[in-house]
Amino acid sequence: MALFEDVRVFITASQLSSQYVENLDDYLGKSLEVVVITAEPAKKKLVLSHRALEKEEAKKERQAKLDSVKVGDVLEGKVDSIKDYGAFIDLGDGISGLLHVSQISNQRVKNPAAVLKEGESIKVKVTGIKDGKISLSKKALEENVEQKDPSRGFKYVEKGVASTSLAGLLKDIKLD
């Protein structure tokens, strides 16, 4: 606590830093940029925070890093954690994205842990960025050997003429 022009000024230990403060003596005699978080003019009391400024700065840095990532980017990342619904991929610089289970492979994947391991490096494609969240796809990087009809989800190969006449249905049947 300190007095400034007859007003009690106070910074709680939890408002000194966004990190845990082990020793308050480390802050004695230091100058800190602060913001007012509580003002009580009737009681001539101010509560200040340096932590709020650190959080705001971290938020700006995170947004700048997010702004550097664009939809369509192919990035290398490490599997940070695996959940039933997918895996979180650490893209570096404090940025991570979700690789949904449906985006892991062209093959059906029931359990992400069956095909991914924590700490594994993988390449992923950024498929979306919304509300600060990054959507990723590994499936988008797999080469599809068969060309699929996107409207039907299966390969269509025409082999002949379709017929429902009795003669058409019986034409390839051989009787002995």
Side-chain angles (χ1 to χ4, degrees), residues 2-9 40-46:
L3 287 175
F4 177 74
E5 296 183 11
D6 202 32
V7 175
R8 287 186 307 163
V9 180
E40 296 179 24
K43 294 182 179 180
K44 294 186 176 187
K45 178 179 167 187
L46 286 176

Side-chain angles (χ1 to χ4, degrees), residues 58-72:
K59 185 177 175 183
K60 286 179 186 175
E61 286 178 22
R62 177 170 164 56
Q63 189 60 49
K65 291 174 187 175
L66 274 174
D67 291 344
S68 71
V69 177
K70 305 290 182 230
V71 172

Side-chain angles (χ1 to χ4, degrees), residues 1 10 16 26 36 42 55-57 59 69 87 112-113 139 141 147 161 167:
M1 185 183 85
F10 188 72
L16 278 173
D26 293 344
V36 176
K55 280 188 161 189
E56 188 61 35
E57 186 61 33
K59 185 177 175 183
V69 177
K139 177 169 118 174
L141 298 177
Q147 289 296 325
V161 179

Side-chain angles (χ1 to χ4, degrees), residues 12-27:
T12 64
S14 64
Q15 294 299 324
L16 278 173
S17 175
S18 55
Q19 306 294 321
Y20 176 73
V21 177
E22 182 78 31
N23 186 359
L24 294 175
D25 291 340
D26 293 344
Y27 286 87

Side-chain angles (χ1 to χ4, degrees), residues 89 104 122 141-142:
I89 310 301
I104 292 174
I122 62 170
L141 298 177
E142 291 180 5

Side-chain angles (χ1 to χ4, degrees), residues 78-146:
K78 286 193 185 234
V79 178
D80 189 38
S81 65
I82 299 173
K83 308 290 182 200
D84 291 340
Y85 52 86
F88 288 96
I89 310 301
D90 180 0
L91 302 171
D93 287 336
I95 301 295
S96 66
L98 175 64
L99 176 60
H100 190 269
V101 66
S102 66
Q103 295 299 313
I104 292 174
S105 174
N106 282 318
Q107 305 297 316
R108 181 165 162 77
V109 175
K110 289 183 180 179
N111 182 0
V115 292
L116 297 172
K117 303 287 180 245
E118 286 187 14
E120 172 185 6
S121 290
I122 62 170
K123 282 192 177 190
V124 289
K125 183 174 184 176
V126 177
T127 57
I129 303 172
K130 184 176 179 183
D131 299 328
K133 295 178 182 173
I134 300 174
S135 298
L136 304 170
S137 175
K138 189 171 179 281
K139 177 169 118 174
L141 298 177
E142 291 180 5
E143 288 191 35
N144 201 348
V145 177
E146 296 179 1

